[in-house]
Amino acid sequence: MATTHRKPCNNLWNGYCKFGAQCRFSHDPTTPCYYLQTRDGCRKGQDCRFSHQRNPSLSNRVPASSTDRDYETRFRQWTYLIPKDHGDRGRRQLPDTVAFFKTAWDLLTASDTGSQQRLVKKLASEEGLFMIKSLIEAMGDDEEDRETLSTFRNALLPFFQILSHRGIASSLVLEHSVETIYNFLYGSGGRRGVQVFRFLAKAIILVVTQEDDDEEEQRKRGLELGPCLTVLERLVELNQGALSHQDFLPIVETISSGVDPQNLSPESRRSLDKVRLRLGLGSLIPAATKSKQAVAQTATFKFHHDLPGLLSSDGPRHDNDHQHIKDIRILPTAEEINCPWLEYLPFNNATNNHFWRNQERTYVHDDLKLRRWEIDRRKGLQLVADFAQPTAISKIGERQRKEWWDSSRRLQPTSLVCLVTSTGHNIFCLVCDPMPTAPSKRQQRDDDRSEAAQILASEMEYARKKNEMPSLHKSDNRAAVMLTLLSPSSSQITSISRLFFNSNHTVRMSLVEFPGILLPTFQPTLQALQNMSHRLDLPFADYLAPEDEGAGTGSIPPPLYTQRKDFVLDLSPLTGGEPLTLSTQQPFDRETFNDYTNLDEAQQTAVLHALNNSLALIQGPPGTGKSYTGVSIIKVLLHNRTAAELGPIICVCYTNHALDQLLEHLVRDNIKQIVRIGSRSRSELLQDVNLHDLAQQIPQTKDEGYQKYLLNQQLTSSIGEIENLLRNLNTPDSDDSLKNFLKANWPKHFKQLFQSDLLDDGFMLVKRRNKSLVGHWLANADPKITRDLPVKLACDMPLDEMSAFERRRVHSYWVHSLIKQLGEEINEAVEAFQETREELDLYYKEQQRRALCEANIVGVTTSGMARHLDVLRHLNSKVMVCEEAGEVLEAHTLTALLPSVQHAILIGDHEQLRPQVKNYDLCHDNPRGKNIALDISLFERLVRPELKTNLSPMPYSRLKIQRRMHPSIADLIRRTLYLDLDDHATVQMYPGVNGMKDRLFWLTHNHREDGVDQMQAHADSKSNEFEVGMVSALASHLTRQGTYAAGDIAVLTPYVRQLQKLRRSLGEMFEIVMNERDAQALEEQENPEVTAVVPPALKKTKLLSALRVATIDNFQGEEAKVVILSFVRSNAEGKCGFLRTSNRINVALSRARHGMYIVGDAQTASSRYAAPVTLKTPSKSKSRTTSQSCLLKVAATSGVPPDCSVVMLVQTSAIARPCIWLFAVSSVACEPKRAVTMHAQILVGTLATLNVR
């Protein structure tokens, strides 16, 4: 089980907790005391209710009190080394830089996290930068060799060791301070950087020429150079000017010639290689020789392909058309949206052309009205808008409307929408959760109110926001939604605010929704690719994106961490403790490995392949144990984690379900220190290892606590300022808003309008008015005045002398001027708010980083990886394992390859589901999208490079023994896709399906699929009412056998609309089923050694809860004893839909263990649009035909009405045996509405009771 890490209850620590066992904090006395981990310790001592034994996995190293006092003394003495008159330029005596930097390094290695932060921030301050400058000024070219070596080893090397220290370089809180030091070190025009590394190059040459040639001394010198090369790499990365600086080239060449690559650590060689590649000098170590791939010559025809940006012969297409990826804005601009030219899309093969046309599905919500602005502490600036309810649901009840919106998944939180106006404005927004953020007790309040009054006011404001919360379903004619601007600016805020007063409807507004496109799922990935394009830090770039496409992949080198001298991998976790090692320098004892491991031969080969190659690919056909093999690899890596300095192992999966499965395997195998990133886990085993909860238990340093307190104060102040501005912006035509505006900008108008009733003695003459002052002024113009002057001239006249036209025009001018002014002020306030919130988030991310650094395994989905990339890049993880890699978009896989990764293991199956791409025009199976093929994963591209490149295939390992399906089921994919797939002995012993004669059927029919129904949430999806009744009856019959537990039977379909109807139908049926414990008891009773037979307990439940109902795409990686497939499609055009791809059919046919029953129109499934795997079934006898059209012909000539016939194709042991069974239903003619249900019931009953042959 996972280890529990709940924070101790503070109320119980103080004496009493009123929540008792319901408290969400820990009451366990073995829980480590939180205050023990602070610098002051726990004041309760032995009376504390919690443990005073420190938890090394969650606490930082906290010095004892005497050590703490000693450290503070040493820290003060270190600061005294900085001259007090450091700002005096006339000072002649240089400070003692050697003692300063040497002491700084000693302090850093003997301090905790908080002290390290203090030290580095001191270095980044004015005093610290002065000491760095003094050190650089002491590096003269005329120094003697002995002085050069002394300065290098006693001052420069400790300084570089501080900058390259893992705790410093990876800290998010210190990132700004470290970058400040690097920028200062580089200097203006790179002058300081050139001076420092020219001195370093001289020192390296002296070290090489003056030291002895002892092998051990050479290795020590190589280790000394590690921090220097790390700093050089980081300096070049942060300062792009170094790439074109001419003085850096000879310096790097000198350093390269002065070091022996064999004496450098693998990490140091990698740093030097990166610097050389950035400067265009080439790699220090030549890459492995790659063989050219022989390409047969064929006739070619090349179309003209217009290039992007300035490379185009006609110039850029629009303002977002650039040749470099880092210059392209992720969201389209208004000019880009309205551009009539075709977009530029890079091809896989430049010799082919592709005409792309956008067929992205969108929803347009018309009659949009903007209501008000709001500000939320966590979500920022928000906009409330509403639009007309869709016609299909405007006349139904509120409950039905809620069900429709929930099932349609439209306008869900994080959905991407665009606010479009007839004036040409296109503003991208995100749909956000309308639930307001609950007030925090720590939130700062006004000082002039009591605490009770503050709490009451906060709760009343929170209740008001909840009551006014927008809803999609509450109103029968208007649907309201909460939006947040993606890139708020003063112009956008002003433009939107002016639309609030579109009373004459001169501006038409609509809300364009892009269903299924969630910005958080692709924006972080695209941003990561943009950063990757100019950082040039992609691991394995020579194999993933070689410059020469005609070159083969060659041999893949072993991981960098295994190339250290005398390094071996201990494989004892896979051999039951039997000593066995794997080394890159010695032959491997495969015989011993085979004798003591539980892995089969193919799994052994896959494990060795993964451990011996820095980029390893493992293909796992269905049921061959991909997850088991992956867990075995992870066990070995964890066992060697300390020796190899691997850091946390990153486990990446495409879906949350697959990630939960992988981490549950690790938990059950007693793997400790697992952290799961993301909140969408449904696993009970992983509830206590969520990163969000663990990070809250990490003690913060004093500086972090103080800075967070100040930032929260600034945040509260910014929110108050923005709320006041929004109050005026939401009602800019009110008296209060205009009063303040006129007083500041038009004092003459202010006095005439608001102070006209001020008497000489200072009293105000109060008059009873039904309207506001502004409204009264607008409505009481002198009708004799018909003048209509321009605004500028009218503003110079007294207000009482203006005509009605002029008053309305001047009033409109006031309102629009006020909106513009408020927009600018709000934009500045929002920018300050966002900067404060980002800085505050940085401290929380630092706590997350420290929690992740203590982990052995970090589990994350591909989308979560991109969102947390700024934290994960600071972990220094060297190993990444990707499960279901064949289902992951290549962009997501590239994002998961962190710069620190030295070993990547991709496990998947390119013959199963491909990555999901919304636009079919960009898919490989579409002839128009074959040259783009975004649905080809990196895994498939490396295994089958002919799909996208001219490279030769990369070596990969393939699992061959399946342990899931009965051989007759496995034959369906063995004879078509996996020719070398073998069956494990256990699958031969699977029992038959209870209540059925055979374990494999195809039940075909000719009932057409349902038409489009606008009342359905998924109107563009497909359904078949006949199959719903047939599948429901068959599932009911199987459940009644009393031998299948909940989850043993799965109902699968390709379409969401059919899934909804199946769930509705199954949810209305009740059956007697067993729970999991009863099923286990039944298995024990079936054991012949058990003599006493006790009937299992049964219970009545909804049929839906006894089954697993899902779409085929969401069932990859899952299995069930019995699977019922509903193919849905049945039409005269022969359009089979999802059945056109072999990948999806492969998944559908490989989920069942004991039996599988297919319900679908065989004629539609066998059309020319369908995948080859569904067309032909191998036959052992030529006399037995498998033509489904022959079956339909026999049915048509039998004399029975087509509506009363069911054609059944029985497939047993992969031998198709055509059989026609005609079932006449007498009630069809008199009760057509019940025909579907009666068909299914009679069919299932007949199959169950008759001895069908």
XYZ file of all heavy atoms in Angstrom, residues 632-673:
333
model
N 9.330 -4.411 -14.663
C 10.605 -5.120 -14.447
C 11.788 -4.211 -14.749
O 12.790 -4.206 -14.019
C 10.650 -6.371 -15.329
O 9.582 -7.249 -15.021
N 11.702 -3.452 -15.819
C 12.781 -2.518 -16.159
C 12.924 -1.460 -15.084
O 14.045 -1.113 -14.661
C 12.502 -1.882 -17.530
C 12.509 -2.953 -18.629
C 13.521 -0.798 -17.850
C 12.039 -2.448 -19.984
N 11.796 -0.939 -14.618
C 11.843 0.100 -13.587
C 12.441 -0.445 -12.298
O 13.187 0.262 -11.601
C 10.426 0.655 -13.363
C 9.950 1.423 -14.606
C 10.380 1.566 -12.142
C 8.518 1.879 -14.540
N 12.147 -1.678 -11.947
C 12.721 -2.280 -10.743
C 14.242 -2.290 -10.809
O 14.929 -1.959 -9.830
C 12.199 -3.709 -10.574
C 10.791 -3.819 -10.047
C 10.430 -5.288 -9.878
C 9.033 -5.459 -9.312
N 8.688 -6.900 -9.164
N 14.783 -2.682 -11.955
C 16.237 -2.713 -12.108
C 16.812 -1.308 -11.983
O 17.823 -1.080 -11.302
C 16.619 -3.345 -13.459
C 18.124 -3.245 -13.692
C 16.178 -4.790 -13.512
N 16.197 -0.346 -12.635
C 16.711 1.020 -12.599
C 16.642 1.594 -11.193
O 17.569 2.291 -10.753
C 15.913 1.891 -13.568
C 16.061 1.537 -15.057
C 15.099 2.362 -15.903
C 17.486 1.754 -15.535
N 15.575 1.306 -10.458
C 15.471 1.802 -9.088
C 16.523 1.166 -8.196
O 17.075 1.814 -7.297
C 14.071 1.521 -8.530
C 12.937 2.426 -9.011
C 11.625 1.998 -8.391
C 13.233 3.874 -8.677
N 16.791 -0.101 -8.426
C 17.803 -0.792 -7.619
C 19.182 -0.182 -7.829
O 20.016 -0.214 -6.912
C 17.806 -2.279 -7.984
C 18.663 -3.114 -7.080
N 18.314 -3.385 -5.770
C 19.860 -3.733 -7.295
C 19.243 -4.132 -5.213
N 20.194 -4.366 -6.117
N 19.422 0.381 -9.007
C 20.719 0.983 -9.318
C 20.668 2.513 -9.319
O 21.574 3.164 -9.839
C 21.206 0.500 -10.686
C 21.451 -0.991 -10.734
O 22.553 -1.466 -10.455
N 20.428 -1.754 -11.094
N 19.597 3.078 -8.760
C 19.375 4.528 -8.836
C 20.481 5.317 -8.150
O 20.974 6.327 -8.696
C 18.027 4.859 -8.197
C 17.699 6.338 -8.144
C 16.280 6.548 -7.626
N 15.938 7.959 -7.571
C 15.938 8.682 -6.460
N 16.250 8.101 -5.308
N 15.611 9.958 -6.486
N 20.919 4.881 -6.979
C 21.934 5.634 -6.249
C 23.283 5.560 -6.942
O 23.969 6.581 -7.105
C 22.045 5.104 -4.811
O 20.760 5.182 -4.171
C 23.053 5.913 -4.020
N 23.671 4.376 -7.356
C 24.974 4.213 -8.006
C 25.043 4.980 -9.320
O 26.087 5.538 -9.673
C 25.251 2.731 -8.241
N 23.947 5.025 -10.047
C 23.937 5.699 -11.350
C 23.529 7.164 -11.251
O 23.587 7.872 -12.263
C 22.984 4.973 -12.305
N 23.133 7.617 -10.050
C 22.681 8.993 -9.851
C 21.598 9.356 -10.865
O 21.676 10.347 -11.592
C 23.863 9.975 -9.961
C 24.934 9.733 -8.916
C 26.100 10.691 -9.059
O 26.112 11.460 -10.043
O 26.993 10.680 -8.205
N 20.561 8.520 -10.896
C 19.512 8.676 -11.918
C 18.541 9.790 -11.608
O 17.914 10.339 -12.518
C 18.739 7.358 -12.068
C 19.539 6.146 -12.541
C 18.630 4.941 -12.679
C 20.235 6.443 -13.862
N 18.385 10.114 -10.330
C 17.320 11.043 -9.980
C 15.971 10.339 -10.080
O 15.882 9.123 -10.319
N 14.865 11.063 -9.928
C 13.549 10.430 -10.065
C 13.327 9.906 -11.484
O 13.705 10.552 -12.465
C 12.569 11.571 -9.745
C 13.382 12.590 -9.019
C 14.765 12.487 -9.554
N 12.731 8.735 -11.587
C 12.404 8.153 -12.895
C 11.047 8.693 -13.323
O 10.057 8.575 -12.600
C 12.387 6.621 -12.820
C 13.778 6.097 -12.465
C 11.911 6.016 -14.135
C 13.847 4.591 -12.285
N 10.981 9.296 -14.506
C 9.747 9.879 -15.024
C 8.978 8.811 -15.794
O 9.485 8.250 -16.767
C 10.042 11.077 -15.945
C 10.960 12.082 -15.247
C 8.742 11.745 -16.375
C 10.359 12.746 -14.047
N 7.760 8.508 -15.355
C 6.882 7.556 -16.034
C 5.746 8.347 -16.684
O 4.939 8.971 -15.983
C 6.321 6.526 -15.052
S 7.574 5.440 -14.339
N 5.679 8.290 -17.997
C 4.722 9.087 -18.756
C 3.725 8.159 -19.429
O 4.113 7.152 -20.034
C 5.438 9.953 -19.812
C 4.438 10.853 -20.532
C 6.525 10.785 -19.166
N 2.438 8.496 -19.330
C 1.375 7.752 -20.007
C 0.450 8.754 -20.695
O 0.379 9.926 -20.315
C 0.572 6.886 -19.033
S 1.527 5.569 -18.264
N -0.270 8.267 -21.678
C -1.167 9.154 -22.428
C -2.433 9.462 -21.641
O -2.903 10.594 -21.627
C -1.518 8.520 -23.770
C -2.503 9.326 -24.585
C -2.155 10.569 -25.093
C -3.793 8.855 -24.834
C -3.051 11.326 -25.826
C -4.691 9.605 -25.574
C -4.317 10.840 -26.071
O -5.209 11.582 -26.793
N -3.000 8.476 -20.973
C -4.259 8.667 -20.263
C -4.048 8.523 -18.761
O -3.082 7.901 -18.296
C -5.311 7.637 -20.715
O -4.843 6.311 -20.388
C -5.549 7.735 -22.215
N -4.965 9.105 -17.987
C -4.918 8.971 -16.535
C -5.132 7.528 -16.112
O -4.531 7.063 -15.140
C -5.993 9.869 -15.906
C -5.621 11.338 -15.928
O -4.839 11.810 -15.108
N -6.177 12.066 -16.879
N -5.986 6.814 -16.830
C -6.253 5.425 -16.483
C -5.003 4.567 -16.651
O -4.674 3.746 -15.779
C -7.391 4.888 -17.346
C -7.743 3.464 -17.060
N -8.385 3.071 -15.906
C -7.528 2.324 -17.768
C -8.555 1.756 -15.910
N -8.046 1.293 -17.034
N -4.287 4.746 -17.770
C -3.065 3.974 -17.994
C -2.005 4.319 -16.952
O -1.271 3.434 -16.483
C -2.535 4.229 -19.405
N -1.931 5.586 -16.571
C -0.960 5.983 -15.550
C -1.302 5.360 -14.206
O -0.413 4.877 -13.489
C -0.934 7.508 -15.448
C 0.022 8.092 -14.422
C 1.464 7.722 -14.741
C -0.133 9.619 -14.359
N -2.578 5.362 -13.846
C -2.986 4.730 -12.588
C -2.631 3.240 -12.589
O -2.159 2.701 -11.577
C -4.489 4.908 -12.370
C -4.849 6.331 -11.974
O -3.938 7.073 -11.574
O -6.028 6.697 -12.073
N -2.869 2.562 -13.695
C -2.553 1.133 -13.777
C -1.069 0.875 -13.561
O -0.673 -0.024 -12.814
C -2.989 0.585 -15.137
C -4.473 0.288 -15.256
C -4.798 -0.459 -16.538
O -4.238 -0.178 -17.595
N -5.705 -1.391 -16.463
N -0.225 1.674 -14.231
C 1.220 1.480 -14.100
C 1.683 1.726 -12.670
O 2.442 0.917 -12.107
C 1.950 2.420 -15.065
C 3.475 2.434 -14.966
C 4.046 1.065 -15.298
C 4.066 3.502 -15.879
N 1.232 2.808 -12.072
C 1.666 3.123 -10.709
C 1.108 2.123 -9.705
O 1.771 1.813 -8.695
C 1.228 4.546 -10.342
C 1.839 5.670 -11.204
C 1.384 7.030 -10.691
C 3.348 5.581 -11.222
N -0.098 1.605 -9.937
C -0.641 0.573 -9.047
C 0.201 -0.692 -9.108
O 0.410 -1.357 -8.083
C -2.094 0.274 -9.421
C -3.082 1.350 -8.981
C -4.488 1.053 -9.451
O -4.655 0.116 -10.251
O -5.426 1.756 -9.016
N 0.669 -1.069 -10.301
C 1.584 -2.211 -10.420
C 2.823 -1.991 -9.547
O 3.275 -2.906 -8.842
C 2.016 -2.400 -11.875
C 1.021 -3.142 -12.714
N 0.598 -4.427 -12.425
C 0.373 -2.787 -13.849
C -0.277 -4.817 -13.336
N -0.435 -3.842 -14.212
N 3.376 -0.781 -9.588
C 4.578 -0.490 -8.815
C 4.291 -0.516 -7.319
O 5.108 -1.012 -6.530
C 5.129 0.880 -9.226
C 5.614 0.994 -10.674
C 5.983 2.436 -11.000
C 6.809 0.080 -10.919
N 3.131 0.007 -6.911
C 2.775 0.002 -5.489
C 2.628 -1.429 -4.985
O 3.110 -1.781 -3.901
C 1.487 0.815 -5.257
C 0.983 0.619 -3.833
C 1.729 2.284 -5.535
N 1.955 -2.274 -5.772
C 1.760 -3.670 -5.355
C 3.074 -4.444 -5.327
O 3.186 -5.448 -4.617
C 0.761 -4.352 -6.294
C -0.656 -3.795 -6.187
C -1.642 -4.641 -6.953
N -2.994 -4.114 -6.872
C -3.566 -3.379 -7.816
N -2.890 -3.096 -8.930
N -4.799 -2.930 -7.666
N 4.053 -3.994 -6.086
C 5.372 -4.622 -6.055
C 6.285 -3.987 -5.013
O 7.510 -4.147 -5.067
C 6.031 -4.533 -7.436
C 5.409 -5.506 -8.417
O 4.730 -6.443 -7.964
O 5.593 -5.327 -9.639
N 5.679 -3.244 -4.077
C 6.384 -2.681 -2.921
C 7.398 -1.608 -3.320
O 8.432 -1.453 -2.675
C 7.080 -3.798 -2.134
C 7.308 -3.402 -0.690
O 6.552 -2.608 -0.129
N 8.360 -3.934 -0.076
N 7.119 -0.877 -4.378
C 7.960 0.254 -4.751
C 7.547 1.458 -3.916
O 6.374 1.822 -3.881
C 7.832 0.570 -6.255
C 8.228 -0.657 -7.084
C 8.692 1.767 -6.629
C 9.655 -1.098 -6.914
N 8.506 2.077 -3.236
C 8.217 3.208 -2.355
C 8.521 4.527 -3.060
O 9.106 4.563 -4.130
C 9.073 3.089 -1.078
C 8.897 1.790 -0.330
C 7.474 1.624 0.189
C 7.329 0.351 1.015
N 5.951 0.144 1.489
N 8.114 5.599 -2.377
C 8.409 6.960 -2.824
C 7.889 7.229 -4.234
O 8.639 7.601 -5.143
C 9.906 7.237 -2.750
C 10.490 7.181 -1.342
C 9.892 8.227 -0.422
O 8.985 7.920 0.332
N 10.375 9.433 -0.495
